Amino acid sequence: RENFLKINKRETPPFNTHPVQLEKLAQQTLSRNGWLYASSNAGLSHTHLANRQAFYRHKIVAPQLIDTNERSMRTTLFGHQVAAPFGLAPIGINKIYHPQAEVPVAKVAGELGIPYCLSTAGSTSIEAVAQANDTGRAAKAEARVPDGPRFFQLYMPHDDELTISLLTRAHASGFTACMLTTDTWQLGWRHDDVATSNYAFYRGIGADLGLTDPIFKKRLSEKGIDPDKQPAEAATLWIDTIWHGRAWSWDKAVWAHKKWQEISGGKPFLVKGIQRVDDAQKAADLGFEGIIVSNHAGRQIDGAIGSLDALEEISEKVGDRLVVTFDSGVRGAADIVKALALGAKFVFIGRLWVWGLSIMGEQGVRHVLKGLLADLDILQCVGGIRNIGDIKKSLLQSQPKGY
Ligand code: FNR
């Protein structure tokens, strides 16, 4: 089995990976604004709680005396082999969390064979992130670890030339799948961010992904903004370009899908933010290759359902027509298994890796991810799960939806 799954039995772990401890440590490490940006949710955090509650109504009922000695957590995703059934959800402005921003995250993901997704709001250029991910891939902890897809997340500007430029750069840098986020035309009403004027804070943090784009540079010069002399104004224009507050509709998502397919030669395109069966069916009818059942970690609509509560019916209805993936609220291997049992093909984690990055940069991300891999390996060993394909609904005992 993969060497990297061997938990640190001989080394002293750098920090406790219990999610509550991770949050505490991240809070201690980050600036007040940084902490509030990462931890804030929409409204009263009701949906953030609902995301967790949804996991608690499913419990694992593990079969005993199964020979799990030859086990594997590998699976396939869009025709790629992947080392594990989870990847890194897109999270922007990584300079808030660490001076090296996205670079260590992409590198460690590559090292461990865990699919990485870059956000359009990234503080690093598309090209530099791809290079970091390639560096990690080249230095793999385990030679047989597969590479998997590399995702680019799109916040779609109201500027087609710019969108095409971003997609072209992503394809040229070896991103093999695109995901369009549809729940965030603007940031949700997050009291903590509003109270601390965080919108001004993160605008000043760094928006290199945008500032390195040739079309965006053209827009800056059209407006007479010199990014060397007016970095805050330039960053503000970028943030206002991607979180513009003007909603797109399905026809534009179809346009982006078509453009991505033309540019990439037919690579997959996913719609991120689906919570309704009818939307999932629409995505399938329109020919999208995948969806992410997600509510953005509860940061957009407070009072929305727990994301896991949307998953089962969506998987049942469209799981044979497109690839159903999941995020929002995953905090450990048992959560990953529950989501897979409810029909997800693949799961993304968000805040877990952000806390690791915040606490200890590259080492922190590595520690969190290796911990999650070890957690899943142990769960497979003691839970009778030889292969990811063994994870079925019958592994769960479930209570009715809601709380
Ligand atoms: C996000 N998320 C997000 N999504 C996206 O499409 N683009 C982005 O730039 C961001 N940025 C971002 C920042 C922070 C601080 C958080 C917490 C989340 C949403 C993210 O991709 C994912 O949907 C959730 O984070 C998954 O939930 P968990 O795992 O964080 O509970």
Side-chain angles (χ1 to χ4, degrees):
R1 289 183 299 111
E2 294 86 345
N3 289 334
F4 60 76
L5 297 185
K6 293 216 174 91
I7 197 164
N8 300 318
K9 288 216 167 106
R10 280 148 303 180
E11 303 154 27
T12 309
F15 53 83
N16 182 340
T17 50
H18 188 298
V20 173
Q21 293 300 325
L22 288 181
E23 283 202 20
K24 272 194 196 151
L25 291 169
Q27 183 173 11
Q28 285 163 14
T29 325
L30 291 171
S31 68
R32 179 173 149 74
N33 289 71
W35 162 252
L36 289 179
Y37 181 68
S39 63
S40 63
N41 301 301
L44 305 183
S45 291
H46 197 89
T47 297
H48 173 66
L49 290 173
N51 282 338
R52 291 300 308 148
Q53 290 290 342
F55 282 100
Y56 299 140
R57 74 180 185 85
H58 301 279
K59 304 210 165 51
I60 295 170
V61 194
Q64 297 302 299
L65 292 168
I66 307 276
D67 179 352
T68 52
N69 297 306
E70 287 296 317
R71 59 186 177 273
S72 167
M73 62 176 70
R74 288 200 183 183
T75 182
T76 55
L77 185 63
F78 298 116
H80 295 257
Q81 278 253 325
V82 287
F86 67 89
L88 305 193
I91 290 200
I93 339 179
N94 284 191
K95 245 187 203 151
I96 290 176
Y97 312 112
H98 195 268
Q100 287 176 293
E102 283 79 6
V103 166
V105 189
K107 182 179 163 211
V108 171
E111 232 176 67
L112 299 176
I114 293 174
Y116 177 79
C117 183
L118 171 62
S119 162
T120 309
S123 339
T124 311
S125 75
I126 296 176
E127 295 74 15
V129 170
Q131 201 183 31
N133 196 229
D134 282 340
T135 306
R137 287 176 174 196
K140 264 186 217 129
E142 156 66 57
R144 291 174 302 113
V145 172
D147 286 338
R150 181 187 290 165
F151 291 89
F152 178 70
Q153 176 266 330
L154 181 64
Y155 280 131
M156 186 155 51
H158 279 260
D159 180 336
D160 290 351
E161 209 189 337
L162 179 55
T163 300
I164 290 166
S165 174
L166 294 171
L167 296 181
T168 305
R169 288 171 69 197
H171 167 64
S173 299
F175 286 80
T176 55
C178 181
M179 58 171 82
L180 173 69
T181 299
T182 55
D183 56 16
T184 312
W185 312 127
Q186 59 183 304
L187 301 183
W189 185 250
R190 304 172 192 163
H191 296 287
D192 290 337
D193 281 344
V194 178
T196 51
S197 300
N198 246 355
Y199 298 98
F201 157 71
Y202 60 68
R203 277 172 190 192
I205 285 285
D208 266 19
L209 195 149
L211 299 180
T212 52
D213 190 275
I215 299 300
F216 189 68
K217 283 185 192 161
K218 206 163 101 184
R219 299 292 177 260
L220 286 170
S221 88
E222 283 160 8
K223 290 192 186 301
I225 300 173
D226 178 348
D228 295 327
K229 295 201 185 106
Q230 299 156 281
E233 285 87 342
T236 296
L237 184 65
W238 174 245
I239 296 293
D240 288 347
T241 300
I242 57 173
W243 289 319
H244 40 66
R246 292 163 61 202
W248 284 116
S249 325
W250 280 104
D251 55 348
K252 193 67 185 186
V254 169
W255 174 87
H257 182 201
K258 193 164 154 266
K259 282 288 159 216
W260 170 248
Q261 298 240 297
E262 279 167 19
I263 290 165
S264 70
K267 298 259 169 16
F269 190 100
L270 296 83
V271 182
K272 177 175 187 274
I274 298 291
Q275 296 280 275
R276 295 173 59 99
V277 172
D278 53 2
D279 278 350
Q281 281 167 329
K282 182 125 193 168
D285 292 345
L286 292 171
F288 291 95
E289 285 76 22
I291 54 173
I292 297 129
V293 174
S294 165
N295 60 25
H296 214 108
R299 286 161 72 80
Q300 287 301 96
I301 300 179
D302 199 31
I305 57 168
S307 192
L308 194 75
D309 281 339
L311 178 62
E312 187 176 3
E313 202 184 341
I314 288 178
S315 311
E316 275 168 16
K317 295 278 165 55
V318 301
D320 57 346
R321 299 174 66 202
L322 46 64
V323 175
V324 177
T325 69
F326 172 83
D327 80 28
S328 296
V330 173
R331 294 295 179 268
D335 298 338
I336 294 172
V337 166
K338 289 176 188 180
L340 297 178
L342 294 171
K345 171 91 178 121
F346 193 78
V347 171
F348 292 92
I349 56 157
R351 278 191 173 120
L352 282 181
W353 72 255
V354 169
W355 302 147
L357 176 67
S358 307
I359 296 164
M360 220 176 252
E362 179 177 325
Q363 200 192 349
V365 177
R366 190 179 289 113
H367 184 54
V368 166
L369 293 182
K370 283 176 81 172
L372 194 54
L373 289 164
D375 185 10
L376 182 55
D377 182 52
I378 292 167
L379 178 53
Q380 288 189 242
C381 174
V382 299
I385 304 168
R386 261 188 300 243
N387 295 297
I388 297 307
D390 296 343
I391 301 173
K392 301 263 159 60
K393 181 72 206 302
S394 57
L395 206 60
L396 302 182
Q397 189 182 81
S398 304
Q399 284 159 3
K401 277 184 197 172
Y403 74 99

